[in-house]
Amino acid sequence: IFPFVSVNQILLLLLVLTVCAILYNKVHQMPSALKNETADLESPEEMEEEIPVVICAAAGRMGAAVAAISSIYSNTEANVLFYIVGLKTTIPHIRKWIENSKLKEIKFKVVEFNPMVLKGKIRQDASRPELLQPLNFVRFYLPLLIQKHEKVIYLDDDVIVQGDIQELYDTKLAPGHAAAFSDDCDLPSTHEMVRSVGMQNTYMGFLDYRKQAIRDLGISPSTCSFNPGVIVANMTEWKHQRITKQLEKWMQRNVEENLYSSTLGGGVATSPMLIVFHGKYSSINPMWHIRHLGWSPDARYSEQFLQEAKLLHWNGRYKPWDYPSVHTDLWENWFIPDPSGKFKLTRPDS
């Protein structure tokens, strides 16, 4: 009898152990899942939406990109991911600048732009060759550079952000709109500046209405233009509407027919966007794009107005890292000197 009882006891013991093991696993799996959720709740950075900001780092003006990035990073708690776009030859310089300065804390990816995508699409223009630099056209190719984001901010390098970039990111885009821009007629306080320096703020200033292809668009020449130096873009709509292909089509037509030039509106990257996005874009809050600071070495805004601005843009010839220019103190607040010493500010006493 004794051996028989012993076997029963062993079987009973095994059964008890099996039940205990099952219960143990169930009890210990639940806390591990809860632990992950708790960890997510406790670290909002993990849950925060990533804000992708695209900025170009061009040779000769890398300090501009650095100052723009510095101003954005310093004025927000948001989870910003910087996409810094450069050419193969300039990428090592910008990477070292960031990694050897206080910007080493930022989240960033360096993206190489291949200028071969522009072959046959840019008409040579001797009057302002700087406007034909390949990186001026990066904004046309956002979906090729940025893969995983639904919404993207693109900024020209000659900007300073004084507000919280989260506000700009929260710009509402209407259904069916691939992008939001700032209208050139949107802010009364800039109208005097526009008049004083003879700036263009209508389609007439950017497109050659003597050409049949432009007249066939049916766009009134007095239509207010917009500035594509600050863009909030919806990548899904951009791809769905094949925006990049449309822009390339107008670039190629310009090579063949000379429909617009830099002598008109001061930028060959703006004109195709004016055509493609006409009547199909949302608006950015005017205070998020105070521009024309680079159009004249003399014309100035009031200091109070500039303090209230969320974003300042030195579009035009007179850049704040060069001389002469205006409101350079506001820009220099955010500039971080180049550790390699290659990039230097041009100042009257230098």
Coordinates of all heavy atoms in Angstrom, one line a residue, residues 123-165:
R123 N 16.3 76.7 -64.7 CA 16.8 77.6 -65.7 C 17.9 78.5 -65.2 O 17.7 79.1 -64.1 CB 15.6 78.5 -66.2 CG 15.9 79.4 -67.4 CD 14.7 80.3 -67.7 NE 15.0 81.0 -68.9 CZ 14.8 80.6 -70.1 NH1 14.3 79.4 -70.3 NH2 15.1 81.3 -71.2
Q124 N 19.0 78.5 -65.8 CA 20.2 79.3 -65.3 C 19.8 80.8 -65.3 O 19.2 81.3 -66.3 CB 21.4 79.1 -66.2 CG 22.0 77.7 -66.0 CD 22.2 77.3 -64.5 OE1 22.9 78.1 -63.8 NE2 21.7 76.2 -64.1
D125 N 20.2 81.5 -64.3 CA 19.8 82.9 -64.1 C 21.0 83.7 -63.5 O 21.3 83.5 -62.3 CB 18.5 83.0 -63.2 CG 17.9 84.4 -63.3 OD1 18.6 85.3 -63.5 OD2 16.7 84.4 -63.0
A126 N 21.6 84.5 -64.3 CA 22.9 85.1 -63.9 C 22.6 86.2 -62.9 O 23.5 86.6 -62.1 CB 23.6 85.7 -65.1
S127 N 21.4 86.8 -62.9 CA 21.1 88.0 -62.0 C 21.2 87.6 -60.5 O 21.7 88.4 -59.7 CB 19.8 88.6 -62.3 OG 18.7 87.7 -62.0
R128 N 20.7 86.4 -60.1 CA 20.8 86.1 -58.7 C 21.1 84.6 -58.6 O 20.3 83.7 -58.3 CB 19.5 86.4 -58.0 CG 19.1 87.8 -58.0 CD 18.7 88.5 -56.8 NE 19.0 87.9 -55.5 CZ 18.1 88.0 -54.5 NH1 16.9 88.5 -54.7 NH2 18.4 87.5 -53.3
P129 N 22.4 84.2 -58.9 CA 22.7 82.8 -58.9 C 22.5 82.1 -57.6 O 22.3 80.9 -57.5 CB 24.2 82.8 -59.3 CG 24.7 84.2 -59.0 CD 23.5 85.1 -59.2
E130 N 22.6 82.9 -56.4 CA 22.4 82.2 -55.1 C 21.0 81.6 -54.9 O 20.8 80.7 -54.2 CB 22.7 83.3 -54.0 CG 21.6 84.3 -53.7 CD 21.6 85.5 -54.6 OE1 22.4 85.5 -55.6 OE2 20.9 86.5 -54.3
L131 N 20.1 82.1 -55.7 CA 18.7 81.6 -55.6 C 18.6 80.2 -56.3 O 17.5 79.6 -56.2 CB 17.7 82.6 -56.2 CG 17.6 83.9 -55.5 CD1 16.7 84.9 -56.3 CD2 17.1 83.8 -54.1
L132 N 19.6 79.8 -57.1 CA 19.5 78.6 -57.8 C 20.2 77.4 -57.0 O 20.4 76.3 -57.5 CB 20.2 78.7 -59.2 CG 19.5 79.8 -60.1 CD1 20.3 79.9 -61.4 CD2 18.1 79.6 -60.3
Q133 N 20.7 77.7 -55.8 CA 21.3 76.7 -55.0 C 20.4 75.5 -54.8 O 19.2 75.7 -54.5 CB 21.8 77.3 -53.6 CG 22.8 78.4 -53.7 CD 24.1 77.9 -54.4 OE1 24.5 76.8 -54.1 NE2 24.7 78.7 -55.2
P134 N 20.9 74.3 -54.9 CA 20.0 73.1 -54.8 C 19.1 73.1 -53.6 O 18.0 72.7 -53.6 CB 21.0 71.9 -54.9 CG 22.2 72.5 -55.6 CD 22.3 73.9 -55.2
L135 N 19.7 73.5 -52.4 CA 18.9 73.4 -51.2 C 17.7 74.3 -51.2 O 16.8 74.1 -50.3 CB 19.8 73.6 -50.0 CG 20.9 72.6 -49.8 CD1 21.7 72.9 -48.5 CD2 20.4 71.2 -49.7
N136 N 17.6 75.3 -52.0 CA 16.4 76.1 -52.1 C 15.2 75.3 -52.5 O 14.0 75.7 -52.3 CB 16.6 77.3 -53.2 CG 17.3 78.4 -52.6 OD1 17.4 78.6 -51.4 ND2 17.9 79.3 -53.4
F137 N 15.4 74.1 -53.1 CA 14.3 73.3 -53.7 C 14.0 72.1 -52.8 O 13.1 71.3 -53.2 CB 14.6 72.9 -55.1 CG 14.9 74.1 -56.0 CD1 16.2 74.6 -56.2 CD2 13.8 74.7 -56.7 CE1 16.4 75.7 -57.0 CE2 14.0 75.8 -57.5 CZ 15.3 76.3 -57.7
V138 N 14.6 72.0 -51.7 CA 14.4 70.9 -50.7 C 12.9 70.9 -50.4 O 12.3 69.8 -50.3 CB 15.2 71.0 -49.5 CG1 14.7 70.2 -48.3 CG2 16.7 70.6 -49.8
R139 N 12.2 72.0 -50.2 CA 10.8 72.1 -49.8 C 9.9 71.4 -50.8 O 8.8 71.0 -50.5 CB 10.4 73.5 -49.6 CG 10.3 74.3 -50.8 CD 10.3 75.8 -50.5 NE 11.6 76.4 -50.6 CZ 12.0 77.6 -50.1 NH1 11.1 78.4 -49.6 NH2 13.2 78.0 -50.2
F140 N 10.4 71.2 -52.1 CA 9.6 70.5 -53.1 C 9.5 69.0 -52.9 O 8.6 68.3 -53.4 CB 10.1 70.8 -54.5 CG 10.0 72.2 -55.0 CD1 9.7 73.2 -54.2 CD2 10.3 72.4 -56.4 CE1 9.6 74.5 -54.7 CE2 10.2 73.7 -56.9 CZ 9.8 74.8 -56.1
Y141 N 10.5 68.5 -52.1 CA 10.7 67.1 -52.0 C 10.5 66.5 -50.6 O 11.1 65.5 -50.3 CB 12.1 66.7 -52.5 CG 12.3 67.1 -54.0 CD1 12.9 68.3 -54.4 CD2 11.9 66.2 -55.0 CE1 13.0 68.6 -55.7 CE2 12.1 66.5 -56.3 CZ 12.6 67.7 -56.7 OH 12.8 68.0 -58.0
L142 N 9.7 67.2 -49.8 CA 9.6 66.8 -48.4 C 9.2 65.3 -48.2 O 9.8 64.6 -47.4 CB 8.5 67.7 -47.7 CG 8.9 69.2 -47.6 CD1 7.8 70.0 -47.0 CD2 10.2 69.3 -46.7
P143 N 8.3 64.7 -49.0 CA 8.0 63.3 -48.7 C 9.1 62.3 -49.0 O 9.1 61.2 -48.5 CB 6.8 63.0 -49.7 CG 6.2 64.4 -50.0 CD 7.4 65.3 -50.0
L144 N 10.0 62.8 -49.9 CA 11.2 61.9 -50.2 C 12.2 61.9 -49.1 O 13.0 61.0 -48.9 CB 11.9 62.3 -51.5 CG 11.0 62.4 -52.8 CD1 11.8 62.8 -54.0 CD2 10.4 61.0 -53.0
L145 N 12.2 63.0 -48.3 CA 13.2 63.1 -47.2 C 12.6 62.7 -45.9 O 13.4 62.2 -45.0 CB 13.6 64.6 -47.1 CG 14.2 65.2 -48.4 CD1 14.3 66.7 -48.3 CD2 15.6 64.7 -48.6
I146 N 11.3 62.8 -45.7 CA 10.7 62.5 -44.4 C 9.7 61.4 -44.6 O 8.7 61.6 -45.3 CB 9.9 63.8 -43.9 CG1 10.7 65.1 -44.0 CG2 9.4 63.5 -42.5 CD1 11.9 65.1 -43.2
Q147 N 10.0 60.3 -44.0 CA 9.2 59.1 -44.4 C 8.0 58.8 -43.4 O 7.0 58.5 -43.8 CB 10.1 57.8 -44.4 CG 11.3 57.9 -45.3 CD 10.9 58.0 -46.8 OE1 9.8 57.6 -47.2 NE2 11.7 58.6 -47.6
K148 N 8.3 59.0 -42.1 CA 7.3 58.4 -41.2 C 6.3 59.4 -40.5 O 5.5 59.0 -39.7 CB 8.1 57.7 -40.0 CG 9.0 58.6 -39.2 CD 9.6 57.9 -38.0 CE 10.4 58.8 -37.2 NZ 10.8 58.3 -35.9
H149 N 6.4 60.7 -41.0 CA 5.5 61.7 -40.3 C 4.3 62.1 -41.2 O 4.5 62.2 -42.4 CB 6.4 62.9 -39.9 CG 7.5 62.6 -39.0 ND1 7.4 62.4 -37.7 CD2 8.8 62.4 -39.3 CE1 8.6 62.2 -37.2 NE2 9.5 62.2 -38.1
E150 N 3.2 62.3 -40.5 CA 2.0 62.8 -41.2 C 2.1 64.3 -41.4 O 1.7 64.8 -42.5 CB 0.8 62.4 -40.3 CG -0.5 63.1 -40.7 CD -1.1 62.5 -41.9 OE1 -0.6 61.5 -42.4 OE2 -2.2 63.0 -42.4
K151 N 2.6 65.0 -40.4 CA 2.7 66.5 -40.5 C 4.1 67.0 -40.3 O 4.8 66.4 -39.4 CB 1.7 67.0 -39.4 CG 1.3 68.5 -39.5 CD 0.3 68.8 -38.4 CE -0.3 70.2 -38.6 NZ -1.2 70.5 -37.5
V152 N 4.5 67.9 -41.1 CA 5.9 68.4 -41.0 C 6.0 69.9 -41.1 O 5.2 70.5 -41.8 CB 6.7 67.8 -42.3 CG1 8.1 68.4 -42.4 CG2 6.7 66.3 -42.2
I153 N 6.9 70.5 -40.4 CA 7.2 71.9 -40.5 C 8.5 72.1 -41.3 O 9.5 71.4 -41.1 CB 7.4 72.6 -39.1 CG1 6.1 72.6 -38.3 CG2 7.9 74.0 -39.3 CD1 6.3 73.0 -36.9
Y154 N 8.4 72.9 -42.4 CA 9.6 73.3 -43.1 C 9.9 74.8 -42.8 O 9.0 75.6 -42.9 CB 9.4 73.1 -44.6 CG 10.5 73.8 -45.4 CD1 11.7 73.2 -45.7 CD2 10.4 75.2 -45.8 CE1 12.7 73.8 -46.4 CE2 11.4 75.8 -46.5 CZ 12.6 75.1 -46.8 OH 13.6 75.8 -47.4
L155 N 11.2 75.1 -42.5 CA 11.6 76.5 -42.3 C 12.8 76.9 -43.1 O 13.7 76.1 -43.2 CB 11.9 76.7 -40.8 CG 10.8 76.4 -39.7 CD1 11.4 76.6 -38.3 CD2 9.6 77.4 -39.9
D156 N 12.8 78.1 -43.7 CA 14.0 78.6 -44.3 C 15.0 78.8 -43.2 O 14.7 78.9 -42.0 CB 13.7 80.0 -45.0 CG 13.2 79.8 -46.4 OD1 13.1 78.7 -46.9 OD2 12.8 80.8 -47.0
D157 N 16.3 78.8 -43.6 CA 17.4 78.9 -42.5 C 17.5 80.3 -41.9 O 18.0 80.5 -40.8 CB 18.7 78.5 -43.1 CG 19.2 79.3 -44.3 OD1 18.5 80.2 -44.7 OD2 20.3 79.0 -44.8
D158 N 17.0 81.3 -42.7 CA 17.1 82.7 -42.2 C 16.0 83.2 -41.3 O 15.5 84.3 -41.4 CB 17.3 83.7 -43.4 CG 16.3 83.5 -44.4 OD1 15.4 82.6 -44.3 OD2 16.3 84.3 -45.4
V159 N 15.6 82.3 -40.4 CA 14.5 82.6 -39.5 C 15.0 82.4 -38.0 O 16.0 81.7 -37.8 CB 13.2 81.7 -39.6 CG1 12.7 81.8 -41.1 CG2 13.5 80.3 -39.2
I160 N 14.3 83.1 -37.1 CA 14.4 82.9 -35.7 C 13.1 82.7 -35.1 O 12.1 83.4 -35.4 CB 15.1 84.2 -35.0 CG1 16.5 84.3 -35.4 CG2 14.9 84.2 -33.5 CD1 17.4 83.2 -34.9
V161 N 12.9 81.7 -34.3 CA 11.6 81.4 -33.7 C 11.7 81.9 -32.2 O 12.5 81.4 -31.4 CB 11.4 79.8 -33.7 CG1 10.1 79.5 -33.0 CG2 11.3 79.4 -35.2
Q162 N 10.7 82.8 -31.9 CA 10.6 83.3 -30.6 C 9.5 82.7 -29.8 O 9.4 82.9 -28.6 CB 10.4 84.9 -30.6 CG 11.6 85.6 -31.4 CD 11.5 87.1 -31.3 OE1 12.4 87.8 -31.1 NE2 10.3 87.6 -31.5
G163 N 8.6 82.0 -30.5 CA 7.5 81.4 -29.8 C 7.7 79.9 -29.6 O 8.8 79.4 -29.9
D164 N 6.7 79.2 -29.1 CA 6.8 77.7 -28.9 C 6.4 77.1 -30.2 O 5.2 77.2 -30.7 CB 5.8 77.3 -27.8 CG 5.9 75.9 -27.4 OD1 6.4 75.1 -28.2 OD2 5.4 75.5 -26.3
I165 N 7.3 76.3 -30.8 CA 7.1 75.7 -32.1 C 5.8 74.8 -32.1 O 5.2 74.5 -33.1 CB 8.3 74.9 -32.5 CG1 8.3 74.6 -34.0 CG2 8.5 73.6 -31.7 CD1 8.7 75.8 -34.9

